[in-house]
Amino acid sequence: MSSQRSIVLGDRTIELGRELLIDARGDIVPLRPRAWLLLRLLATRAGQLVSKDEIMDEVWPDCEVTEDSLVHAIGDVRRALGDSNRSALRTLPRRGYMLAISGGPNAGAELSIAATLAPADPGEPATSSEVPRLSLVVLPFVNLGGDPEHEYFVDGVTDSLTTDLSRIAGALVISRSTAFTFKQKVADVREIGRELNVRYVLEGSVQCGSSRFRLNVRLTDTQTRNCVWADRFDKQVADLLDMQDEIVSRLANALNSELINVEARRAERSLRPDAVDLYFQGRAFLNKGVTSIFMARARDFFERALALDPDGIEAAVAAAQVDVSVGSSFMTDDGPIRFHTAEKALNGILLRAPNHPRAHMLLGAVKIRTDRAADGVAECYRALALDRNLADAHGFIGLGKYVLERGEDVQGHIQEALRLSPRDTRAFLWLMFVGMAKLMIKTDVEALRWLRRSIEANPNHALSHFHLAGALAMMGKLKEAGSRAEAGMALDRSFTIRRYRTNVFRFENPEWMARLARLYEGMRKAGIPEG
């Protein structure tokens, strides 16, 4: 470290020797441990560009994290520096960050450096340590069968899961090398939590027989020792490497959803929720389904989170998802405005976080819904290259193939999404995409089956009811069509055939357009208002 011990930045002083940030009154400004490491690194290199890779290596040497963690830490540092000094921490898009040393009146805060060669006082209090949200360690899974030949498979599941869970937005996952020091050791989860400063421990066991494979997994809160989630996989033995990929993907997707729910419930008990608390509560509503009430509640939480933390990437992405979902579900007449708003926001996010998988995926969804389906599909594939477990990207690719009039291809993409995340909160949308594709290629009985599955997966999605009502009426099943239409109108009383016809896709294939015309007529017969 540099010999410089004290850096004055406007009304803040960075005490490198004591590892403290002090305000004008001499009070300690609280900083989380990783945020302090980031600030210290930038302060010792003040006036120099520090690349993102350098920061990741220095601040998270023992963890597997995504670039989202860096964005969160930058936001923490900016807030700690205060409004008058925030501009001193400069972002150089796609390159890194710099703590500005000096400049004219428009160059941000002035920095003056005072050299203090006295060593740090070991008795000084360090910055308080807080257990990070979404922090966990994947302990080495146990090979119950004891067969040495299966040991590589069991360790491989642990290793891959550690890597894939680190892709969860905002997650901090202890590195494999640290986690494997606990292999074949009996340790209390609370002690592990204290030693590694993590909130959750994931444990598992694997048993491979001659024909069956069984995996048990459990997620435990290190502070309460309570099991917050458990699951079991039991299936026929196949190729172990293929099984490993499938198991890891399913676990990662299930854990992503469960961790959001757990953190949202924890945030509800907070008397003074911060931006992250509000984000988790918004995500919980976003995951419940596409209804006007759920979307409004989600948007409120995300807007409150962004008011507290304007640099919050995840809240910004989630807010864009609300616009995409509302526009895609025909809940308002301003669908094009919603898509334009979402696209503008997502492009801005990708300037700051160019490798954000969900931002690429949602941008792809917007392009699919705005007559740029081929570009949208490519954007979704880009998202999958960044996060192979992003099942929703496969779902949107299926929608893109539907828009491109390749109805026969849709089911395969949706089945891949379901393979990765069979109990996904958005599976109802994927199932609806297949139902609509089947309707367009005139396999009507299959269309009904997929549309019914969509409603079974989530009965609170009005558009699935409207599609099924129209399809049933097309086939002469008017009584059931009427009941489905009533169920849809109970969820969205503003829906009209006019709104749907105005905002739905335009196909070049005249046969597909004729099928759409029949669907409109079916909706009328089912009792859906023309508007």
Side-chain angles (χ1 to χ4, degrees), residues 146-201:
D147 186 341
E149 292 185 4
H150 291 152
E151 195 71 22
Y152 78 94
F153 170 72
V154 176
D155 286 350
V157 169
T158 309
D159 197 7
S160 295
L161 189 56
T162 298
T163 300
D164 286 17
L165 289 179
S166 71
R167 296 190 178 102
I168 295 175
L172 187 152
V173 183
I174 297 299
S175 70
R176 176 195 184 280
S177 57
T178 298
F180 268 76
T181 62
F182 293 91
K183 188 175 175 66
Q184 297 180 338
K185 292 181 180 179
V186 178
D188 180 79
V189 292
R190 183 174 290 176
E191 293 177 2
I192 294 174
R194 288 171 180 164
E195 181 177 343
L196 300 178
N197 198 37
V198 293
R199 183 168 282 182
Y200 302 104
V201 167

Side-chain angles (χ1 to χ4, degrees), residues 28-45:
I28 297 173
V29 179
L31 264 176
R32 294 173 181 166
R34 304 287 175 174
W36 167 255
L37 292 175
L38 171 60
L39 177 58
R40 184 180 67 181
L41 173 62
L42 294 173
T44 58
R45 302 268 296 277

Side-chain angles (χ1 to χ4, degrees), residues 431-476:
L431 298 166
M432 185 186 72
F433 298 159
V434 182
M436 291 305 297
K438 296 291 185 183
L439 203 61
M440 290 298 104
I441 61 176
K442 300 182 181 181
T443 52
D444 295 347
V445 174
E446 288 188 56
L448 293 183
R449 180 168 62 86
W450 284 91
L451 291 171
R452 287 192 173 105
R453 285 182 63 188
S454 172
I455 293 171
E456 289 170 3
N458 188 339
N460 295 321
H461 186 229
L463 191 58
S464 294
H465 289 281
F466 294 138
H467 281 150
L468 181 56
L472 286 165
M474 286 170 65
M475 287 169 247

Side-chain angles (χ1 to χ4, degrees), residues 78-94:
R78 284 203 169 105
R79 285 188 293 276
L81 292 176
D83 291 338
S84 62
N85 305 311
R86 289 178 71 178
S87 61
L89 203 174
R90 299 180 181 176
T91 303
L92 285 76
R94 301 179 185 271

